[in-house]
Structure formats: C-alpha cells, structure tokens
C-alpha cells in the first residue's frame, strides 16, 4: 500500500511540474503511435477492405486525401497556438484579478490539457498520414481517422472556450476551492470520529529517535496508513511535531519516535529510513493535504477584493459564505488534533492538525481586521458567526461569542453612526454585547 501511494504521489508530482506539457504530450504521442498501427493495417489489409470502405463516404482519392490532410494539419497547429494564447491570457487575468496562487490550479485543469493534447495529436497524425500518402498508397483508414480527430478537436475546442470563460469567473473559482476544502475537512472529521470511541494511552518512553529533515521544504503529505503499520510492527509511537503545510528547515527535528524498549542501532536506522520515506517535503505549497493553504487562498481572494484598488465587497462576501460552508463539519464535531490508536488503545501516530478553534481563528481574524469600517462585510461576518453558533459543538460557543464581540468592537472603534452600530448589534443576538 505504501509503495502504491508513493508511486501515485511521484507520478502526480511529475505531471504537476509541467502540467501543460507532460499530459498533453502523453496524449499526443499515444494517439500518434496508434496512427502508426492504422498505417500498418492500411498497408496489409488494403486489398481485403470491405466494399463499404472502398466507396461512398469512406473512400478518398489521392488528391482529396492530400488536400484534406493538409487543411487538417495546418488548422490543428494554428488552433493549438490559439489555445495556448488563450490560456496565457486567462493566467494573466487570474493572477491580476483573483490571485496568483490560482495559477497552479489552472495549469492542472484537465480541459486545457486534453484540448492541447488532442490538437497536438491531430497535427501529428495528419502530417504523418500525409507523408505516407502516394499514388500507389492511399491509407483509407488513417485518412478517416484523421478526419475523426478533426471532428473531435472542433467539439473539444467548443468545450474549451466554455471552460475558459467560466475559469475567470471569481464565484466559480471560489466555489471550486471551497468544495475541495470541504471534502478534505470532511475526510479528517471522519478519521477523527473513528478514533473518538477508543481510549488512548501513550507508551512509556524508554527510547526516543529524533528525526530531522534532510532538506528545506514544505511538509506536504504524510502516509498515515504506512506510518500506522510501521508503528504497530515495531511497537512505536510516531509523533509529528509540525502540521501539514509548515516550512521545515534542513536538519530541523520534525518527527519524534518513541519506544517502550531500548532499540539497537540497526533497528533505529531502519525505522529512521522508513519513516522519512513516508513524509514528503516539496518546494512549494499546494492544497493536496494542506488545509491552511486552501483557506489562505480564499482569504487572499477576499482581502484582494477588499483592497481600495479592487473594491469588490461582494466577492469577499462570497468567500466568507463558502468558508463557513467548508467549516461546517469540523465545527459541528468540535474537531480536535488527529491521533491514530490501535485496538489495544495505544497511540501509534500523532498528527498535529487543524482544530476547530484554529480554523475559526484563521478565517475570522484576518477578515475582521480588514473590514473594521465596512458595515456590509461586518454584517456578513456576524451572520456567518451566527450560522456557525447554531450548529457548533457546545465547547465552541465561547469562542464564537468572542469573535462576535470582536466584530462589534472593531466597528465601534471606527466611530460609526449609532444607527449602523445598532444594526450590527441585531445580527449578533447570540452574543451578550459588552459596550
């Protein structure tokens, strides 16, 4: 299982490095190699082709085949250039209007990749078939395959234009990011709930292995199942000292392994190597397992929208609504730090994660500080806190009331009109406002 996870992650990293080159390239080369098979079949089976392929729509003369293939190959490579130009324009608009950190998501967009790959394949196939067409050899199957690729390319281009037009809509991007964030938080909540009924106890520490980072980088992903299996096998407790998304320095300790017995040097070295292989450090952050990164992207969009240069409060309001929706499951259960316990109640893996308290603080503090004189935003924040208070775990009630009081105090400090302050107070009916 660990090997498969490692292989999947490694392949994903390769494709992510050059997302607009690797995947389109693989698609184009694969279809082009398939056309080689068709050319071979044309040469070997031409005398035995059925009658319907030797007349009507499927049969083409040499001059017609050359003309059609020339038009298809020329149009495909021209359109491919247009597609990449449109993608670059979208990148520019997204970086300026939404946020530069969204570019990573755009480069990984499957519609962009498939469109580029299909157009590249159409060009290569048409050019190759044209090269093999002669007076004595008109590859009927291959010519018709090139025509089919041209039809598919037109349909894909139409879909691509529709996809590109949606990708610059801020509300669509905010909704997609928040959906992924909600899915990830829901997975963590389910994992924590599975462990909630188990009583846990820590091992008596008789030996400790401090693990240090071998390079600088962001802690991006942890193979929890592999770590758990390893801890059970050697009767260990593995504790991460840093949460996902933290930047770790080379030679900085970020994992502690505890054993209830003295370990020999060979075992220590083996455990060290296996655990290091379960943890991934990358040069840049991504939203694969990094909850804080996804939250920060949405907050960045909101703060950019609130800046004087943009002044788009309603985009910021959309971000708040989506963020509170994403926090729904974690606030309901009162999410705590994640620990994986075995059947005997021994803690095997400790992962410092995102508690409900820290998630609420991460969302509401920066947005409140940037909206101290914006009544529309503060009312939205108050409504968001009110919604969360209705479904929140009882232990989060005091924290939500503290945030409600801070929202009121922030607006009061901007010397507002008494009527506006009273209006905000009505939205904070779950808070005993201290004036």
């Amino acid at each position: 299982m660990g090997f498969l996870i490692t292989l999947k992650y490694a392949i994903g990293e390769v494709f992510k490095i050059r997302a607009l080159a690797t995947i389109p390239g693989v698609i184009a080369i694969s279809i082009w190699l398939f056309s080689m098979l068709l050319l071979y079949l044309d040469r070997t089976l031409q005398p035995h082709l059925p009658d319907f392929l030797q007349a009507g729509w499927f049969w083409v003369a040499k001059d017609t085949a050359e003309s059609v293939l020339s038009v298809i190959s020329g149009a495909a490579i021209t359109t491919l250039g247009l597609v990449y130009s449109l993608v670059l324009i979208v990148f520019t608009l997204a970086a300026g209007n939404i946020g530069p950190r969204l570019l990573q998501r755009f480069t990984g967009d499957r519609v962009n990749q498939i469109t580029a790959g299909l157009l590249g394949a159409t060009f290569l196939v048409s050019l190759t078939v044209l090269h093999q067409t002669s007076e004595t050899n008109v590859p009927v199957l291959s010519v018709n395959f090139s025509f089919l690729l041209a039809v598919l390319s037109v349909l894909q281009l139409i879909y691509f234009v529709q996809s590109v037009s949606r990708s610059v809509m801020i509300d669509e991007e905010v909704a997609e990011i928040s959906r992924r964030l909600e899915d990830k938080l829901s997975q963590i909540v389910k994992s924590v709930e599975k462990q909630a009924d188990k009583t846990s106890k820590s091992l008596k520490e008789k030996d400790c292995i401090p693990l240090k980072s071998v390079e600088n980088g962001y802690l991006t992903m942890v193979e929890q199942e592999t770590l758990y299996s390893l801890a059970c096998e050697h009767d260990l407790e593995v504790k991460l000292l840093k949460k996902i998304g933290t930047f770790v320095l080379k030679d900085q300790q970020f994992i502690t392994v505890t054993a209830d017995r003295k370990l020999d040097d060979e075992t220590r070295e083996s455990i060290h190597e296996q655990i290091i292989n379960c943890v991934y450090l990358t040069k840049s952050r991504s939203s694969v397992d990094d909850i804080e990164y996804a939250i920060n992207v949405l907050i960045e969009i909101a703060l950019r929208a609130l800046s004087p240069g943009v002044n788009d409060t309603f985009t910021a309001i959309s971000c708040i609504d989506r963020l509170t929706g994403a926090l729904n499951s974690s606030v309901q259960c009162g999410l705590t730090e994640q620990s994986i316990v075995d059947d005997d109640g021994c803690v095997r893996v400790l992962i410092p994660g995102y508690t409900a308290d820290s998630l609420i603080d991460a969302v509401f503090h920066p947005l409140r500080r940037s909206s101290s004189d914006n009544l529309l935003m503060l009312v939205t924040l108050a409504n968001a806190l009110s919604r969360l208070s209705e479904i929140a775990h009882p232990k989060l009630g005091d924290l939500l009331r503290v945030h409600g009081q801070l929202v009121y105090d922030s607006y009061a400090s901007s010397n507002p009109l008494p009527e506006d302050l009273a209006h905000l107070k009505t939205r904070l009916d779950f808070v005993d406002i201290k004036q």
Side-chain angles (χ1 to χ4, degrees):
M1 178 63 72
F3 172 75
L4 293 177
I5 295 175
T6 303
L7 180 62
K8 180 181 178 181
Y9 181 78
I11 293 174
E13 285 297 304
V14 170
F15 282 129
K16 190 170 67 175
I17 291 171
R18 294 288 183 271
L20 282 177
T22 51
I23 294 180
V26 169
I27 294 173
I29 295 299
S30 300
I31 297 176
W32 180 63
L33 291 176
F34 177 74
S35 72
M36 296 294 187
L37 175 62
L38 283 181
L39 284 170
Y40 172 76
L41 293 176
D42 271 315
R43 285 185 177 276
T44 56
L45 300 179
Q46 185 117 16
H48 311 289
L49 289 176
D51 293 338
F52 74 90
L53 288 177
Q54 300 188 40
W57 284 90
F58 295 98
W59 184 259
V60 288
K62 171 184 173 296
D63 293 340
T64 304
E66 289 179 343
S67 299
V68 169
L69 292 171
S70 298
V71 170
I72 291 176
S73 60
I77 197 64
T78 301
T79 309
L80 181 59
L82 174 63
V83 165
Y84 274 105
S85 298
L86 287 175
V87 170
L88 291 176
I89 291 173
V90 169
F91 282 3
T92 303
L93 291 173
N97 297 335
I98 306 178
R101 281 156 198 81
L102 288 178
L103 297 187
Q104 186 182 49
R105 206 181 79 76
F106 288 145
T107 56
D109 187 90
R110 287 291 180 261
V111 176
N112 298 345
Q113 295 168 343
I114 293 173
T115 304
L118 186 58
L119 288 169
T122 303
F123 170 73
L124 291 176
V125 171
S126 301
L127 200 62
T128 303
V129 176
L130 180 61
H131 177 265
Q132 294 297 310
T133 302
S134 63
E135 292 287 351
T136 58
N137 178 42
V138 179
V140 178
L141 293 176
S142 300
V143 172
N144 282 281
F145 181 63
S146 299
F147 187 80
L148 175 62
L149 285 178
V151 173
L152 293 177
S153 296
V154 170
L155 296 177
Q156 181 65 27
L157 182 63
I158 294 172
Y159 184 58
F160 166 78
V161 172
Q162 188 264 350
S163 175
V164 167
S165 65
R166 291 185 61 185
S167 65
V168 292
M169 297 180 183
I170 297 181
D171 287 344
E172 293 284 345
E173 292 305 313
V174 169
E176 179 61 22
I177 296 169
S178 65
R179 182 190 64 78
R180 296 186 180 188
L181 174 61
E182 184 175 359
D183 290 344
K184 185 59 186 175
L185 282 172
S186 297
Q187 292 175 12
I188 294 176
V189 168
K190 290 178 181 178
S191 177
V192 171
E193 288 178 342
K194 287 181 181 179
Q195 305 290 327
D197 297 333
K198 297 182 179 181
T199 56
S200 60
K201 58 182 178 181
S202 297
L203 296 177
K204 295 180 180 180
E205 182 179 333
K206 292 186 178 180
D207 199 356
C208 181
I209 307 174
L211 274 67
K212 298 182 179 181
S213 172
V214 296
E215 60 180 341
N216 297 328
Y218 290 97
L219 181 57
T220 302
M221 191 180 82
V222 177
E223 292 181 15
Q224 297 183 22
E225 294 182 5
T226 308
L227 278 181
Y228 175 73
S229 300
L230 182 63
C232 291
E233 178 183 352
H234 295 281
D235 195 18
L236 305 172
E237 179 181 305
V238 181
K239 181 179 181 180
L240 270 71
L241 304 179
K242 309 294 180 183
K243 65 182 181 180
I244 302 296
T246 304
F247 187 79
V248 181
L249 296 175
K250 183 178 180 181
D251 296 327
Q252 180 182 5
Q253 182 180 346
F254 70 117
I255 300 176
T256 298
V257 180
T258 302
D260 61 358
R261 68 191 187 285
K262 198 68 178 176
L263 302 173
D264 57 71
D265 293 340
E266 184 178 350
T267 303
R268 290 170 65 94
E269 184 177 348
S270 174
I271 291 173
H272 183 284
E273 182 179 355
Q274 292 181 70
I275 292 180
I276 286 295
N277 290 335
C278 295
V279 180
Y280 297 94
L281 298 176
T282 57
K283 295 179 180 178
S284 60
R285 297 178 74 175
S286 68
S287 55
V288 176
D289 282 325
D290 191 347
I291 301 297
E292 187 177 353
Y293 177 84
I295 291 176
N296 288 344
V297 169
L298 290 173
I299 291 176
E300 179 185 2
I301 295 173
L303 296 181
R304 184 181 290 264
L306 291 172
S307 65
V310 179
N311 194 23
D312 183 8
T313 302
F314 289 98
T315 292
I317 290 175
S318 177
C319 291
I320 294 173
D321 292 338
R322 290 294 180 176
L323 280 166
T324 53
L327 294 180
N328 190 352
S329 58
S330 57
V331 170
Q332 280 191 30
C333 74
L335 183 63
T336 56
E337 289 190 343
Q338 192 173 2
S339 62
I340 304 178
V341 183
D342 64 12
D343 295 334
D344 296 327
C346 293
V347 176
R348 294 302 179 187
V349 181
L350 276 170
I351 302 176
Y354 305 97
T355 64
D357 302 56
S358 65
L359 291 173
I360 291 172
D361 288 342
V363 169
F364 286 96
H365 279 315
L367 293 175
R368 172 184 53 79
R369 290 166 185 153
S370 300
S371 313
S372 59
D373 59 348
N374 189 328
L375 179 59
L376 191 57
M377 271 292 293
L378 292 175
V379 167
T380 303
L381 287 173
N383 290 336
L385 289 168
S386 177
R387 287 195 297 268
L388 290 176
S389 67
E390 293 176 9
I391 55 96
H393 192 278
K395 69 179 182 179
L396 297 175
D398 290 341
L399 177 64
L400 291 171
R401 284 188 285 273
V402 168
H403 277 280
Q405 181 68 51
L406 289 173
V407 167
Y408 181 86
D409 292 342
S410 294
Y411 192 51
S413 65
S414 66
N415 194 27
L417 294 174
E419 292 80 2
D420 291 339
L421 192 59
H423 174 67
L424 177 62
K425 185 177 180 180
T426 61
R427 304 296 178 135
L428 295 167
D429 53 358
F430 66 99
V431 183
D432 184 14
I433 298 294
K434 299 176 182 179
Q435 302 184 11

